[in-house]
Amino acid sequence: MSKRGCHFCVPAKAKIFKLQQAGMSDQAIIDVYKKEFGDKIYLADPSMFYWAVPVGAIVLGLLSIYWFLRRFIKSTPAPQAAAAGPIDPDLARFQAQIERETAHLD
């Protein structure tokens, strides 16, 4: 319940205090509220696996980042592959033309 109080919390806390002073157990007070407001008024304690959702989300996020980095960041080509030259003859022709045109720029 809210610490500052709302239209429901303040009277509910006062009623719980009165029921505790009357000697009712916690389960009996819960049953009174369930009977008065329905089953949706009570939220049970989290299970022992309540940590699984945030940990799973973190792991999934880290795996997504790893996949993205591996897929979209290209590494530089190996020196042997660059020395071998292009395999496509048209590409080789264009590369030779580029080399000729840029040779005198230095």
Side-chain angles (χ1 to χ4, degrees), residues 1-95:
M1 285 192 230
S2 174
K3 289 184 180 182
R4 290 206 258 161
C6 65
H7 69 282
F8 180 79
C9 296
V10 173
K13 286 180 182 181
K15 183 176 180 179
I16 290 171
F17 180 72
K18 287 178 187 176
L19 293 175
Q20 286 176 337
Q21 292 299 318
M24 291 183 74
S25 68
D26 290 344
Q27 187 59 44
I29 295 171
I30 291 170
D31 292 338
V32 167
Y33 271 89
K34 281 184 178 180
K35 185 177 179 183
E36 188 174 338
F37 296 105
D39 287 336
K40 291 186 177 182
I41 193 73
Y42 177 71
L43 296 175
D45 292 334
S47 70
M48 59 188 258
F49 295 109
Y50 69 94
W51 53 267
V53 172
V55 169
I58 290 170
V59 168
L60 186 62
L62 290 174
L63 287 174
S64 300
I65 291 170
Y66 176 75
W67 174 81
F68 179 81
L69 292 175
R70 294 281 295 169
R71 180 159 170 87
F72 291 108
I73 295 180
K74 304 288 184 194
S75 61
T76 58
Q80 300 100 2
I87 298 172
D88 186 17
D90 290 332
L91 185 60
R93 184 171 50 94
F94 288 126
Q95 190 173 13

Side-chain angles (χ1 to χ4, degrees), residues 92-106:
R93 184 171 50 94
F94 288 126
Q95 190 173 13
Q97 182 180 356
I98 291 170
E99 292 295 327
R100 280 193 310 267
E101 291 177 358
T102 58
H104 59 74
L105 291 177
D106 294 339

